[in-house]
Amino acid sequence: MSEEQIKLEAERSRSLEDQFEARIARDEKIEPKDWMPEKYRKTHIRQMSQHAHSEIVGMLPEGNWITRAPSLRRKVALLAKVQDEAGHGLYLYSACETLGVSRDELYEQLHSGKAKYSSIFNYPTITWADMGAIGWLVDGAAIINQVPLCNTSYGPYARAMIRVCKEESFHQRQGYEIMIKLANGTPEQKEMAQDALNRWWWPSLMMLGPTDDVSVHTEQSMKWKLKRKSNDDLRQQFIDQTVPQADLIGLTIPDSDLKWNEERKSYDFGEINWDEFWQVVKGHGPMNKERMKARVGAWERGEWVRDAAMTHAKKKQKQAV
Amino acid sequence: MSTKNWPLWEVFVRSKNGLEHRHFGSLHAADAEMALENARDVYTRRNEGVSIWVVESKNITASNPENNGELFEPAQDKIYRHPTFYDLPDEVKHM
Amino acid sequence: MNNNLYKYILGIADNSLILGQRLGELCGHGPSLETDIACTNISLDLFGQVRSYYQYAAKVIGDGRTEDDIAMLRKEREYVNVLLVEQPNTDFAYTIGRQFLFDVYHYLLLNKLQNSHDLTLSAIAKKSIKEVSYHQRFSTDWVKRLGDGTEVSHQKMQEAIDGLWTYTDELFHQTEADKIMVSEGVGVDVTSLKEQYYAIVSKILEDATLKTPESKWFQKGGKQGIHTEHLGYLLSDLQYMQRAYPNMEW
């Protein structure tokens, strides 16, 4: 290409990019085959696949209690919830695939440790109350993140999120109901609930992402409607809505600095241990290795099954011809 | 052993009789039966459907948005295809 | 209180409970996301059936026991499920094989149970048979895929069928309570299902390029509460919360 041609091409793509940004600003949706800047494509694959991975890895800590749920009613609710997470992962992987990356490639990224997932799932679920705390807090924080995404600029992502949010509406209630029962139960049950809140509170706050001053992707993501509010705003919203819920069932948020700020009409809260957050992100959480082992194991144990199904399908196709 | 990936399928669901099949999403399956079964399990867990179509994604031919100008814009000024194009006195009923 | 009816209900319900629990173990560990979701659906169907049966059993026994007491607070020797359903998820071929060998029986059973003179059992059967009809379709398709798939899958599927075969005959054994319930028009005479069962199973195995095992030596005991060693571990998970925290509400 001559220098002239390159310049022309650059100009053309700049104007394409301007048009593209203008479409998003007008609240138009971007669809898979539309022209898009490479960065838009990459950023979306990264965010959607991280989200999908989080759903899939997120099945494990709760799956850990399916066989031990204390009643049949709780067991079916938990099973249905964990199954929904598989479904949500599936919707999100499908959305990624519209951008030309296959689910197998994305799995490969997850299994090799290249791709990230929500670090909260690297904490262990050690009592039944953890099922309550996860539904209440983790799903609660997730919903705050997800509802605005129903309106994000990339069509397939927005549609997947609408489905996810609709289905997820029972998840948080399921968790909070578990907590209510425990909090109103025997002293032993109440203690179990408080202990779970103590362990899950801070990781839930971290789940909403690093503070705004260190968060890298925010500005661009805001423009593309991949993010509608900053991490700190989301965190504040989560705290403000969750504290009264804890009060209502007589549980104590494990933060001695937590207090209502009349001026801000919000809660002030204590310092988050970001060092812990980054350590867990880097793979040093209590369950990182086990979670990956479980995912990789399931995938590898399934290989002969997937191969068999494909081979059988091809045989049948041949017979049909 | 080589991994043979299950192909992608598009799923269309009729929510109730009287409505058309609508695109619900996609999934992976080795063959058409499995695609139907998977679609049932993935997309109609909450009573969302009474009929399912599945079609392997590679069999869909899609128009290219780059051609949207020639494909769709020419229809924009053919306003005579719409009832509002025609002037009728207000007194005319049932038309 | 009708003790025979109570026992009869458990004889059906315990199978769904234990199989549902086995499938529940797999949630999150399936060979593909789609298959994972499908197996969980079957598990949920089975637990739904279990709840209907146990709620009815609780009413029949009428001593204040709840569905959860019945599900989770019996001793090993008091569970009367067949040995087949408690067999572990050794690999996906075993999971599918177990499901298939049970589904074919389950469908035939419910088909007859729909005509029970007991209106509750008949109603549960009518609702469940639609679910089970789908289970059978799912497991049958998979037996064919694995049987007539790759060499590896063929071998694994055959191994699973061979390994599980010894537990099939027990499906058609009658307990004393069964006989009484059959005579009252409430229960299904399972001995009458046997011939049809083996005919269907052999036909599908043949379609799947698999051999119908010839072994005539069968294991039994589940219906009398004499189980394989696998059940104790399954129960220690199932019962953990109810045992560790007795008399609490969840």
Side-chain angles (χ1 to χ4, degrees), chain A residues 227-255:
Chain A
K227 216 169 176 29
R228 311 306 289 256
K229 283 183 183 175
S230 77
N231 294 349
D232 287 336
D233 288 347
L234 292 171
R235 197 166 6 252
Q236 187 68 60
Q237 184 188 339
F238 174 72
I239 292 168
D240 290 348
Q241 78 180 38
T242 309
V243 173
Q245 292 166 356
D247 290 345
L248 192 70
I249 54 176
L251 296 180
T252 312
I253 303 282
D255 178 357

PDB file of all heavy atoms in Angstrom, chain A residues 227-255:
ATOM      1  N   LYS A 227     -20.714  -0.005  30.908  1.00  0.00           N
ATOM      2  CA  LYS A 227     -20.737   0.360  32.308  1.00  0.00           C
ATOM      3  C   LYS A 227     -21.554   1.625  32.383  1.00  0.00           C
ATOM      4  O   LYS A 227     -21.398   2.505  31.542  1.00  0.00           O
ATOM      5  CB  LYS A 227     -19.301   0.631  32.753  1.00  0.00           C
ATOM      6  CG  LYS A 227     -19.012   0.194  34.125  1.00  0.00           C
ATOM      7  CD  LYS A 227     -17.532   0.235  34.417  1.00  0.00           C
ATOM      8  CE  LYS A 227     -17.249  -0.116  35.859  1.00  0.00           C
ATOM      9  NZ  LYS A 227     -18.161  -0.987  36.520  1.00  0.00           N
ATOM     10  N   ARG A 228     -22.461   1.711  33.331  1.00  0.00           N
ATOM     11  CA  ARG A 228     -23.285   2.911  33.414  1.00  0.00           C
ATOM     12  C   ARG A 228     -22.925   3.750  34.629  1.00  0.00           C
ATOM     13  O   ARG A 228     -23.171   4.937  34.658  1.00  0.00           O
ATOM     14  CB  ARG A 228     -24.782   2.573  33.448  1.00  0.00           C
ATOM     15  CG  ARG A 228     -25.255   1.596  32.381  1.00  0.00           C
ATOM     16  CD  ARG A 228     -24.894   2.024  30.964  1.00  0.00           C
ATOM     17  NE  ARG A 228     -25.647   3.168  30.489  1.00  0.00           N
ATOM     18  CZ  ARG A 228     -26.657   3.123  29.630  1.00  0.00           C
ATOM     19  NH1 ARG A 228     -27.058   1.962  29.167  1.00  0.00           N
ATOM     20  NH2 ARG A 228     -27.265   4.215  29.221  1.00  0.00           N
ATOM     21  N   LYS A 229     -22.373   3.089  35.641  1.00  0.00           N
ATOM     22  CA  LYS A 229     -21.982   3.813  36.848  1.00  0.00           C
ATOM     23  C   LYS A 229     -20.589   3.361  37.244  1.00  0.00           C
ATOM     24  O   LYS A 229     -20.196   2.235  36.914  1.00  0.00           O
ATOM     25  CB  LYS A 229     -22.929   3.462  38.004  1.00  0.00           C
ATOM     26  CG  LYS A 229     -24.286   4.137  37.969  1.00  0.00           C
ATOM     27  CD  LYS A 229     -25.048   3.723  39.211  1.00  0.00           C
ATOM     28  CE  LYS A 229     -26.452   4.308  39.214  1.00  0.00           C
ATOM     29  NZ  LYS A 229     -27.221   3.806  40.358  1.00  0.00           N
ATOM     30  N   SER A 230     -19.876   4.178  37.986  1.00  0.00           N
ATOM     31  CA  SER A 230     -18.523   3.805  38.391  1.00  0.00           C
ATOM     32  C   SER A 230     -18.586   2.750  39.497  1.00  0.00           C
ATOM     33  O   SER A 230     -19.602   2.597  40.181  1.00  0.00           O
ATOM     34  CB  SER A 230     -17.766   5.031  38.886  1.00  0.00           C
ATOM     35  OG  SER A 230     -18.203   5.349  40.191  1.00  0.00           O
ATOM     36  N   ASN A 231     -17.481   2.034  39.665  1.00  0.00           N
ATOM     37  CA  ASN A 231     -17.414   1.002  40.703  1.00  0.00           C
ATOM     38  C   ASN A 231     -17.784   1.548  42.067  1.00  0.00           C
ATOM     39  O   ASN A 231     -18.509   0.911  42.828  1.00  0.00           O
ATOM     40  CB  ASN A 231     -15.995   0.423  40.771  1.00  0.00           C
ATOM     41  CG  ASN A 231     -15.632  -0.343  39.510  1.00  0.00           C
ATOM     42  OD1 ASN A 231     -16.501  -0.621  38.681  1.00  0.00           O
ATOM     43  ND2 ASN A 231     -14.363  -0.672  39.363  1.00  0.00           N
ATOM     44  N   ASP A 232     -17.247   2.727  42.393  1.00  0.00           N
ATOM     45  CA  ASP A 232     -17.509   3.289  43.725  1.00  0.00           C
ATOM     46  C   ASP A 232     -18.991   3.624  43.912  1.00  0.00           C
ATOM     47  O   ASP A 232     -19.545   3.421  44.996  1.00  0.00           O
ATOM     48  CB  ASP A 232     -16.643   4.530  43.957  1.00  0.00           C
ATOM     49  CG  ASP A 232     -15.179   4.151  44.190  1.00  0.00           C
ATOM     50  OD1 ASP A 232     -14.934   2.997  44.612  1.00  0.00           O
ATOM     51  OD2 ASP A 232     -14.301   4.995  43.936  1.00  0.00           O
ATOM     52  N   ASP A 233     -19.600   4.132  42.846  1.00  0.00           N
ATOM     53  CA  ASP A 233     -21.035   4.430  42.941  1.00  0.00           C
ATOM     54  C   ASP A 233     -21.853   3.162  43.138  1.00  0.00           C
ATOM     55  O   ASP A 233     -22.798   3.123  43.931  1.00  0.00           O
ATOM     56  CB  ASP A 233     -21.530   5.145  41.674  1.00  0.00           C
ATOM     57  CG  ASP A 233     -21.017   6.579  41.612  1.00  0.00           C
ATOM     58  OD1 ASP A 233     -20.503   7.058  42.656  1.00  0.00           O
ATOM     59  OD2 ASP A 233     -21.111   7.200  40.538  1.00  0.00           O
ATOM     60  N   LEU A 234     -21.472   2.120  42.382  1.00  0.00           N
ATOM     61  CA  LEU A 234     -22.186   0.842  42.505  1.00  0.00           C
ATOM     62  C   LEU A 234     -22.041   0.288  43.920  1.00  0.00           C
ATOM     63  O   LEU A 234     -22.986  -0.211  44.514  1.00  0.00           O
ATOM     64  CB  LEU A 234     -21.643  -0.171  41.497  1.00  0.00           C
ATOM     65  CG  LEU A 234     -21.926   0.115  40.017  1.00  0.00           C
ATOM     66  CD1 LEU A 234     -21.142  -0.852  39.135  1.00  0.00           C
ATOM     67  CD2 LEU A 234     -23.418  -0.006  39.715  1.00  0.00           C
ATOM     68  N   ARG A 235     -20.814   0.413  44.440  1.00  0.00           N
ATOM     69  CA  ARG A 235     -20.537  -0.114  45.771  1.00  0.00           C
ATOM     70  C   ARG A 235     -21.393   0.607  46.810  1.00  0.00           C
ATOM     71  O   ARG A 235     -21.987  -0.009  47.682  1.00  0.00           O
ATOM     72  CB  ARG A 235     -19.046   0.031  46.085  1.00  0.00           C
ATOM     73  CG  ARG A 235     -18.603  -0.821  47.236  1.00  0.00           C
ATOM     74  CD  ARG A 235     -17.090  -0.967  47.376  1.00  0.00           C
ATOM     75  NE  ARG A 235     -16.302  -0.165  46.469  1.00  0.00           N
ATOM     76  CZ  ARG A 235     -15.624  -0.675  45.429  1.00  0.00           C
ATOM     77  NH1 ARG A 235     -15.614  -1.961  45.210  1.00  0.00           N
ATOM     78  NH2 ARG A 235     -14.934   0.114  44.639  1.00  0.00           N
ATOM     79  N   GLN A 236     -21.452   1.926  46.664  1.00  0.00           N
ATOM     80  CA  GLN A 236     -22.240   2.713  47.607  1.00  0.00           C
ATOM     81  C   GLN A 236     -23.716   2.296  47.537  1.00  0.00           C
ATOM     82  O   GLN A 236     -24.382   2.125  48.557  1.00  0.00           O
ATOM     83  CB  GLN A 236     -22.097   4.209  47.284  1.00  0.00           C
ATOM     84  CG  GLN A 236     -22.747   5.118  48.316  1.00  0.00           C
ATOM     85  CD  GLN A 236     -22.021   5.081  49.656  1.00  0.00           C
ATOM     86  OE1 GLN A 236     -20.834   5.414  49.734  1.00  0.00           O
ATOM     87  NE2 GLN A 236     -22.702   4.659  50.711  1.00  0.00           N
ATOM     88  N   GLN A 237     -24.184   2.124  46.305  1.00  0.00           N
ATOM     89  CA  GLN A 237     -25.579   1.703  46.115  1.00  0.00           C
ATOM     90  C   GLN A 237     -25.841   0.357  46.792  1.00  0.00           C
ATOM     91  O   GLN A 237     -26.847   0.166  47.470  1.00  0.00           O
ATOM     92  CB  GLN A 237     -25.862   1.606  44.604  1.00  0.00           C
ATOM     93  CG  GLN A 237     -27.302   1.267  44.267  1.00  0.00           C
ATOM     94  CD  GLN A 237     -27.479   0.982  42.768  1.00  0.00           C
ATOM     95  OE1 GLN A 237     -26.659   1.399  41.936  1.00  0.00           O
ATOM     96  NE2 GLN A 237     -28.533   0.273  42.418  1.00  0.00           N
ATOM     97  N   PHE A 238     -24.892  -0.549  46.608  1.00  0.00           N
ATOM     98  CA  PHE A 238     -25.037  -1.883  47.201  1.00  0.00           C
ATOM     99  C   PHE A 238     -25.089  -1.792  48.730  1.00  0.00           C
ATOM    100  O   PHE A 238     -25.950  -2.397  49.375  1.00  0.00           O
ATOM    101  CB  PHE A 238     -23.866  -2.767  46.761  1.00  0.00           C
ATOM    102  CG  PHE A 238     -23.843  -4.112  47.432  1.00  0.00           C
ATOM    103  CD1 PHE A 238     -24.766  -5.088  47.096  1.00  0.00           C
ATOM    104  CD2 PHE A 238     -22.890  -4.399  48.405  1.00  0.00           C
ATOM    105  CE1 PHE A 238     -24.750  -6.331  47.728  1.00  0.00           C
ATOM    106  CE2 PHE A 238     -22.872  -5.635  49.032  1.00  0.00           C
ATOM    107  CZ  PHE A 238     -23.793  -6.612  48.697  1.00  0.00           C
ATOM    108  N   ILE A 239     -24.172  -1.022  49.284  1.00  0.00           N
ATOM    109  CA  ILE A 239     -24.137  -0.907  50.745  1.00  0.00           C
ATOM    110  C   ILE A 239     -25.431  -0.276  51.259  1.00  0.00           C
ATOM    111  O   ILE A 239     -26.053  -0.779  52.195  1.00  0.00           O
ATOM    112  CB  ILE A 239     -22.907  -0.077  51.183  1.00  0.00           C
ATOM    113  CG1 ILE A 239     -21.624  -0.852  50.875  1.00  0.00           C
ATOM    114  CG2 ILE A 239     -22.981   0.280  52.660  1.00  0.00           C
ATOM    115  CD1 ILE A 239     -20.342  -0.051  50.997  1.00  0.00           C
ATOM    116  N   ASP A 240     -25.836   0.805  50.602  1.00  0.00           N
ATOM    117  CA  ASP A 240     -27.026   1.518  51.075  1.00  0.00           C
ATOM    118  C   ASP A 240     -28.274   0.639  51.030  1.00  0.00           C
ATOM    119  O   ASP A 240     -29.158   0.768  51.862  1.00  0.00           O
ATOM    120  CB  ASP A 240     -27.252   2.795  50.245  1.00  0.00           C
ATOM    121  CG  ASP A 240     -26.188   3.849  50.544  1.00  0.00           C
ATOM    122  OD1 ASP A 240     -25.444   3.661  51.539  1.00  0.00           O
ATOM    123  OD2 ASP A 240     -26.089   4.835  49.793  1.00  0.00           O
ATOM    124  N   GLN A 241     -28.335  -0.241  50.056  1.00  0.00           N
ATOM    125  CA  GLN A 241     -29.545  -1.067  49.996  1.00  0.00           C
ATOM    126  C   GLN A 241     -29.443  -2.309  50.869  1.00  0.00           C
ATOM    127  O   GLN A 241     -30.450  -2.861  51.288  1.00  0.00           O
ATOM    128  CB  GLN A 241     -29.884  -1.429  48.543  1.00  0.00           C
ATOM    129  CG  GLN A 241     -29.039  -2.537  47.949  1.00  0.00           C
ATOM    130  CD  GLN A 241     -29.436  -2.841  46.508  1.00  0.00           C
ATOM    131  OE1 GLN A 241     -29.754  -1.952  45.725  1.00  0.00           O
ATOM    132  NE2 GLN A 241     -29.434  -4.124  46.161  1.00  0.00           N
ATOM    133  N   THR A 242     -28.216  -2.744  51.172  1.00  0.00           N
ATOM    134  CA  THR A 242     -28.059  -4.001  51.905  1.00  0.00           C
ATOM    135  C   THR A 242     -28.106  -3.821  53.421  1.00  0.00           C
ATOM    136  O   THR A 242     -28.618  -4.678  54.139  1.00  0.00           O
ATOM    137  CB  THR A 242     -26.743  -4.695  51.496  1.00  0.00           C
ATOM    138  OG1 THR A 242     -26.695  -4.767  50.065  1.00  0.00           O
ATOM    139  CG2 THR A 242     -26.655  -6.097  52.049  1.00  0.00           C
ATOM    140  N   VAL A 243     -27.574  -2.710  53.906  1.00  0.00           N
ATOM    141  CA  VAL A 243     -27.530  -2.505  55.358  1.00  0.00           C
ATOM    142  C   VAL A 243     -28.922  -2.616  55.997  1.00  0.00           C
ATOM    143  O   VAL A 243     -29.094  -3.350  56.979  1.00  0.00           O
ATOM    144  CB  VAL A 243     -26.853  -1.152  55.703  1.00  0.00           C
ATOM    145  CG1 VAL A 243     -26.955  -0.862  57.195  1.00  0.00           C
ATOM    146  CG2 VAL A 243     -25.394  -1.178  55.264  1.00  0.00           C
ATOM    147  N   PRO A 244     -29.935  -1.950  55.431  1.00  0.00           N
ATOM    148  CA  PRO A 244     -31.264  -2.106  56.044  1.00  0.00           C
ATOM    149  C   PRO A 244     -31.785  -3.541  55.995  1.00  0.00           C
ATOM    150  O   PRO A 244     -32.514  -3.962  56.887  1.00  0.00           O
ATOM    151  CB  PRO A 244     -32.169  -1.197  55.186  1.00  0.00           C
ATOM    152  CG  PRO A 244     -31.262  -0.301  54.431  1.00  0.00           C
ATOM    153  CD  PRO A 244     -29.951  -0.995  54.308  1.00  0.00           C
ATOM    154  N   GLN A 245     -31.386  -4.278  54.971  1.00  0.00           N
ATOM    155  CA  GLN A 245     -31.823  -5.676  54.880  1.00  0.00           C
ATOM    156  C   GLN A 245     -31.202  -6.501  56.002  1.00  0.00           C
ATOM    157  O   GLN A 245     -31.844  -7.402  56.553  1.00  0.00           O
ATOM    158  CB  GLN A 245     -31.438  -6.274  53.517  1.00  0.00           C
ATOM    159  CG  GLN A 245     -32.214  -5.659  52.355  1.00  0.00           C
ATOM    160  CD  GLN A 245     -31.611  -5.987  50.991  1.00  0.00           C
ATOM    161  OE1 GLN A 245     -30.555  -6.628  50.893  1.00  0.00           O
ATOM    162  NE2 GLN A 245     -32.282  -5.537  49.940  1.00  0.00           N
ATOM    163  N   ALA A 246     -29.958  -6.196  56.341  1.00  0.00           N
ATOM    164  CA  ALA A 246     -29.312  -6.889  57.454  1.00  0.00           C
ATOM    165  C   ALA A 246     -29.993  -6.506  58.769  1.00  0.00           C
ATOM    166  O   ALA A 246     -30.293  -7.361  59.606  1.00  0.00           O
ATOM    167  CB  ALA A 246     -27.830  -6.540  57.495  1.00  0.00           C
ATOM    168  N   ASP A 247     -30.251  -5.204  58.926  1.00  0.00           N
ATOM    169  CA  ASP A 247     -30.930  -4.726  60.139  1.00  0.00           C
ATOM    170  C   ASP A 247     -32.248  -5.447  60.350  1.00  0.00           C
ATOM    171  O   ASP A 247     -32.576  -5.868  61.460  1.00  0.00           O
ATOM    172  CB  ASP A 247     -31.212  -3.210  60.041  1.00  0.00           C
ATOM    173  CG  ASP A 247     -29.922  -2.397  60.126  1.00  0.00           C
ATOM    174  OD1 ASP A 247     -28.886  -2.983  60.541  1.00  0.00           O
ATOM    175  OD2 ASP A 247     -29.941  -1.202  59.763  1.00  0.00           O
ATOM    176  N   LEU A 248     -32.968  -5.576  59.243  1.00  0.00           N
ATOM    177  CA  LEU A 248     -34.316  -6.153  59.308  1.00  0.00           C
ATOM    178  C   LEU A 248     -34.318  -7.551  59.908  1.00  0.00           C
ATOM    179  O   LEU A 248     -35.261  -7.946  60.595  1.00  0.00           O
ATOM    180  CB  LEU A 248     -34.901  -6.193  57.886  1.00  0.00           C
ATOM    181  CG  LEU A 248     -36.384  -6.500  57.770  1.00  0.00           C
ATOM    182  CD1 LEU A 248     -37.219  -5.340  58.295  1.00  0.00           C
ATOM    183  CD2 LEU A 248     -36.760  -6.790  56.313  1.00  0.00           C
ATOM    184  N   ILE A 249     -33.272  -8.320  59.659  1.00  0.00           N
ATOM    185  CA  ILE A 249     -33.262  -9.685  60.193  1.00  0.00           C
ATOM    186  C   ILE A 249     -32.283  -9.811  61.365  1.00  0.00           C
ATOM    187  O   ILE A 249     -31.944 -10.920  61.780  1.00  0.00           O
ATOM    188  CB  ILE A 249     -32.939 -10.731  59.093  1.00  0.00           C
ATOM    189  CG1 ILE A 249     -31.642 -10.402  58.348  1.00  0.00           C
ATOM    190  CG2 ILE A 249     -34.087 -10.828  58.097  1.00  0.00           C
ATOM    191  CD1 ILE A 249     -31.241 -11.454  57.319  1.00  0.00           C
ATOM    192  N   GLY A 250     -31.852  -8.682  61.882  1.00  0.00           N
ATOM    193  CA  GLY A 250     -31.062  -8.689  63.107  1.00  0.00           C
ATOM    194  C   GLY A 250     -29.647  -9.198  62.943  1.00  0.00           C
ATOM    195  O   GLY A 250     -29.057  -9.714  63.897  1.00  0.00           O
ATOM    196  N   LEU A 251     -29.079  -9.049  61.760  1.00  0.00           N
ATOM    197  CA  LEU A 251     -27.674  -9.416  61.570  1.00  0.00           C
ATOM    198  C   LEU A 251     -26.830  -8.146  61.537  1.00  0.00           C
ATOM    199  O   LEU A 251     -27.319  -7.073  61.180  1.00  0.00           O
ATOM    200  CB  LEU A 251     -27.492 -10.214  60.275  1.00  0.00           C
ATOM    201  CG  LEU A 251     -28.191 -11.566  60.206  1.00  0.00           C
ATOM    202  CD1 LEU A 251     -27.927 -12.238  58.856  1.00  0.00           C
ATOM    203  CD2 LEU A 251     -27.756 -12.492  61.346  1.00  0.00           C
ATOM    204  N   THR A 252     -25.563  -8.285  61.907  1.00  0.00           N
ATOM    205  CA  THR A 252     -24.694  -7.120  62.000  1.00  0.00           C
ATOM    206  C   THR A 252     -23.657  -7.126  60.886  1.00  0.00           C
ATOM    207  O   THR A 252     -22.907  -8.097  60.727  1.00  0.00           O
ATOM    208  CB  THR A 252     -23.939  -7.130  63.353  1.00  0.00           C
ATOM    209  OG1 THR A 252     -24.905  -7.375  64.380  1.00  0.00           O
ATOM    210  CG2 THR A 252     -23.242  -5.816  63.611  1.00  0.00           C
ATOM    211  N   ILE A 253     -23.607  -6.016  60.145  1.00  0.00           N
ATOM    212  CA  ILE A 253     -22.580  -5.889  59.111  1.00  0.00           C
ATOM    213  C   ILE A 253     -21.212  -5.792  59.805  1.00  0.00           C
ATOM    214  O   ILE A 253     -21.047  -4.992  60.729  1.00  0.00           O
ATOM    215  CB  ILE A 253     -22.817  -4.605  58.272  1.00  0.00           C
ATOM    216  CG1 ILE A 253     -24.218  -4.611  57.647  1.00  0.00           C
ATOM    217  CG2 ILE A 253     -21.719  -4.399  57.245  1.00  0.00           C
ATOM    218  CD1 ILE A 253     -24.402  -5.458  56.429  1.00  0.00           C
ATOM    219  N   PRO A 254     -20.252  -6.599  59.378  1.00  0.00           N
ATOM    220  CA  PRO A 254     -18.970  -6.660  60.104  1.00  0.00           C
ATOM    221  C   PRO A 254     -18.051  -5.482  59.768  1.00  0.00           C
ATOM    222  O   PRO A 254     -16.960  -5.668  59.246  1.00  0.00           O
ATOM    223  CB  PRO A 254     -18.377  -7.982  59.611  1.00  0.00           C
ATOM    224  CG  PRO A 254     -18.920  -8.135  58.220  1.00  0.00           C
ATOM    225  CD  PRO A 254     -20.293  -7.535  58.235  1.00  0.00           C
ATOM    226  N   ASP A 255     -18.500  -4.279  60.068  1.00  0.00           N
ATOM    227  CA  ASP A 255     -17.708  -3.093  59.751  1.00  0.00           C
ATOM    228  C   ASP A 255     -17.971  -2.066  60.850  1.00  0.00           C
ATOM    229  O   ASP A 255     -19.044  -1.470  60.900  1.00  0.00           O
ATOM    230  CB  ASP A 255     -18.133  -2.555  58.375  1.00  0.00           C
ATOM    231  CG  ASP A 255     -17.383  -1.277  58.003  1.00  0.00           C
ATOM    232  OD1 ASP A 255     -16.579  -0.784  58.830  1.00  0.00           O
ATOM    233  OD2 ASP A 255     -17.612  -0.771  56.885  1.00  0.00           O
TER     234      ASP A 255
END
